[in-house]
Amino acid sequence: MDAGGTDRSHDDRGESGGIRTALTGLTTRGRSFLAAGIAAAVCAYVLGQSDLLRVGLLLGVLPLVCATVLYRTRYRVAGSRRLSPERVPAGSEARVHLRVDNVSRMPTGLLMLQDRVPYVLGPRPRFVLDRVEPGGRREVSYRVRSDLRGRYPLGPLQLRLTDPFGLCELTRSFSTHDTLTVIPRVEALPPVRLSGEAKGYGEGRQRSLALAGDDDVIPRGYRHGDDLRRVHWRSTARYGELMVRREEQPQRARCTVLLDTRGLAYEGAGPDSPFEWAVSGAASVLVHMLERGFSVRLLTDTGNSVPGEGADGFAGASQGTADAAGLMMDTLAVIDHSDGTSLSPAYDLLRGGNEGLLVAFFGDLDEEQATVAARMRQRSGGAVAFVLDSGAWAREPADVPGPLDRSEERLRMLREAGWTAVGVPYGATLEERWRLADRERTAVAAGTGGEGTR
């Protein structure tokens, strides 16, 4: 970035435009000097006092001279910005490093450096830089923090030039921006063994190939570079040419994380709202399953699958775990309520089966949507549901027996369909609910009915 280029662009507007730009940079002190000079000159003319006229001219001309000199100053300054890190969980701090280089052959005067940031990240940072020698540099940094996830622009960087008397102040802006991504909070989860996971690791139909090589499912012809120890002599004798056997391909389990984003399914807003709990929970499960070697995809109630690099929409098998997690975290950073009223689009996408483990985060469910959610279980190897009752989050449980009874009825419908379903009261942590889901699954598998504390 080069502030000198910005200066030259002002010169192209003509002399009148340059004068107007310079005059708009007069500070309160500069305007006071100019007003006092004009008043003194008028009084000197009326009273016929030549000495007073000289004083008035000095007071009036000084701010004009300072504005003209400052406007025509040619500092060539390069500025850069670096974020550490570029993705930060909600509630955590990121540091922004600013660097200013004087690329001209003359020293700069006193500079004020400021960066434009959204108000949710904190106050606008300002720094005063002393004289920068030719070829010199100055580095400063500041911290930003947001409790709300999202993508926030930083910049442009601005330099404020001032004269030694403080009569004029002009701003030069750089052109580049950077983006800080605030992702949902991720909670570490214990490595429990949920229903459907065993099918992913064994010989069941829920496995998917890891796309780790180009080996065919049958012996194939020899290719240059193949290891001779892989030659399949029986097939070679049969076909009359060198044939090599395929190596055992690694298998990866699949996991689909379903996030209910319907606006009517959640009440309240802000970092402590049930919707933010669901988004954070989905992010935590995605990261946890990727770290355990699963091929993972994120699915919403609208039927959108994220990311969709693979033909089947799953990530983690054909790309690095960190890259897959980053793509989904970027999506969850900006995800918002949908206008949909039904879970049917997600159900239609799940009807093809072969989804592996299904982990769902539901908001309020009426009877119709609970029925749709119950049918999703038939298309997956295992299913775990976290159901948030938004109304119960905003009230004391003893005051609303009706809504609580309705929530328990929805949980019962899901359990009867084969889900491992747990409710999420206000203040509950995902780790606690995750362990509870494992205990209920174990209890059901042991034939005890899975009764546990909700």
Side-chain angles (χ1 to χ4, degrees):
M1 295 183 289
D2 191 344
T6 304
D7 290 340
R8 287 193 296 271
S9 67
H10 284 292
D11 294 339
D12 296 338
R13 300 177 184 177
E15 188 66 26
S16 59
I19 294 176
R20 286 195 298 269
T21 301
L23 292 179
T24 57
L26 291 176
T27 63
T28 301
R29 179 185 300 177
R31 296 175 187 274
S32 300
F33 267 63
L34 184 59
I38 294 175
V42 171
C43 292
Y45 176 77
V46 173
L47 300 176
Q49 298 289 331
S50 58
D51 293 336
L52 183 58
L53 179 60
R54 296 188 186 96
V55 174
L57 291 176
L58 176 63
L59 293 177
V61 170
L62 183 59
L64 298 179
V65 172
C66 290
T68 302
V69 172
L70 189 62
Y71 179 77
R72 294 186 177 277
T73 299
R74 287 296 178 269
Y75 294 143
R76 293 186 59 83
V77 180
S80 62
R81 182 189 302 102
R82 178 172 57 86
L83 305 181
S84 178
E86 294 183 357
R87 292 190 187 99
V88 61
S92 300
E93 289 185 344
R95 183 169 288 275
V96 183
H97 301 269
L98 303 177
R99 172 176 164 177
V100 176
D101 294 88
N102 183 9
V103 296
S104 66
R105 296 182 179 180
M106 60 180 297
T108 69
L110 188 68
L111 303 176
M112 176 178 287
L113 183 68
Q114 65 179 14
D115 205 5
R116 298 187 63 179
V117 301
Y119 73 94
V120 296
L121 297 182
R124 178 175 296 184
R126 292 183 173 90
F127 306 93
V128 176
L129 304 181
D130 293 332
R131 175 180 176 274
V132 183
E133 65 278 4
R137 72 178 60 167
R138 297 291 185 270
E139 295 184 2
V140 294
S141 65
Y142 64 94
R143 294 176 294 180
V144 291
R145 178 181 182 274
S146 175
D147 292 326
L148 300 175
R149 55 187 176 79
R151 293 173 62 86
Y152 300 102
L154 300 179
L157 194 62
Q158 294 179 330
L159 279 177
R160 300 178 67 182
L161 311 177
T162 184
D163 66 280
F165 302 103
L167 302 179
C168 185
E169 190 175 84
L170 297 179
T171 301
R172 296 290 183 262
S173 295
F174 296 94
S175 58
T176 59
H177 297 73
D178 290 284
T179 301
L180 175 68
T181 303
V182 181
I183 62 176
R185 296 184 181 93
V186 175
E187 189 173 345
L189 300 178
V192 301
R193 197 168 188 82
L194 295 170
S195 176
E197 183 176 331
K199 293 183 179 180
Y201 288 108
E203 296 296 330
R205 64 181 179 87
Q206 304 297 337
R207 298 183 306 178
S208 61
L209 296 179
L211 303 179
D214 294 326
D215 297 297
D216 301 323
V217 296
I218 60 175
R220 58 170 174 82
Y222 175 81
R223 300 170 185 169
H224 179 71
D226 284 339
D227 191 344
L228 291 178
R229 290 174 295 181
R230 295 174 54 194
V231 173
H232 194 268
W233 296 109
R234 182 176 300 176
S235 299
T236 298
R238 179 179 179 182
Y239 294 103
E241 61 176 323
L242 279 178
M243 304 291 292
V244 295
R245 63 180 180 274
R246 70 178 183 90
E247 293 181 341
E248 182 180 357
Q249 295 183 350
Q251 308 291 325
R252 299 178 73 99
R254 285 180 169 182
C255 176
T256 297
V257 178
L258 173 61
L259 176 61
D260 182 7
T261 63
R262 296 172 299 138
L264 55 79
Y266 299 94
E267 296 180 12
D272 296 327
S273 65
F275 180 67
E276 292 301 321
W277 195 99
V279 173
S280 177
S284 302
V285 173
L286 287 169
V287 172
H288 176 72
M289 304 310 286
L290 281 170
E291 290 176 348
R292 299 197 65 185
F294 278 68
S295 294
V296 180
R297 74 168 170 180
L298 172 64
L299 181 66
T300 66
D301 58 287
T302 60
N304 294 326
S305 180
V306 182
E309 284 75 10
D312 55 5
F314 286 85
S318 60
Q319 64 187 97
T321 298
D323 293 338
L327 287 172
M328 287 184 279
M329 289 299 111
D330 287 346
T331 300
L332 289 175
V334 296
I335 201 167
D336 203 353
H337 293 294
S338 69
D339 297 329
T341 59
S342 175
L343 297 172
S344 296
Y347 171 72
D348 293 338
L349 193 62
L350 293 171
R351 292 178 64 179
N354 198 26
E355 305 300 329
L357 177 64
L358 175 60
V359 181
F361 292 85
F362 293 120
D364 294 331
L365 296 174
D366 56 25
E367 185 175 358
E368 179 183 357
Q369 299 311 312
T371 302
V372 175
R375 292 201 301 266
M376 295 179 184
R377 169 63 181 86
Q378 303 170 4
R379 302 295 179 179
S380 62
V384 182
F386 299 93
V387 183
L388 295 93
D389 184 356
S390 300
W393 278 52
R395 309 177 185 90
E396 292 293 333
D399 298 337
V400 285
L404 287 178
D405 291 342
R406 185 184 64 180
S407 177
E408 291 295 331
E409 175 64 20
R410 304 297 179 253
L411 292 174
R412 183 188 63 80
M413 293 177 61
L414 294 178
R415 294 187 185 112
E416 290 179 350
W419 285 83
T420 300
V422 296
V424 182
Y426 178 78
T429 64
L430 179 60
E431 179 184 3
E432 170 195 336
R433 299 288 100 181
W434 189 255
R435 293 185 184 275
L436 176 59
D438 179 57
R439 291 198 300 268
E440 293 205 357
R441 180 204 64 83
T442 304
V444 171
T448 60
E451 295 296 334
T453 303
R454 311 279 194 270

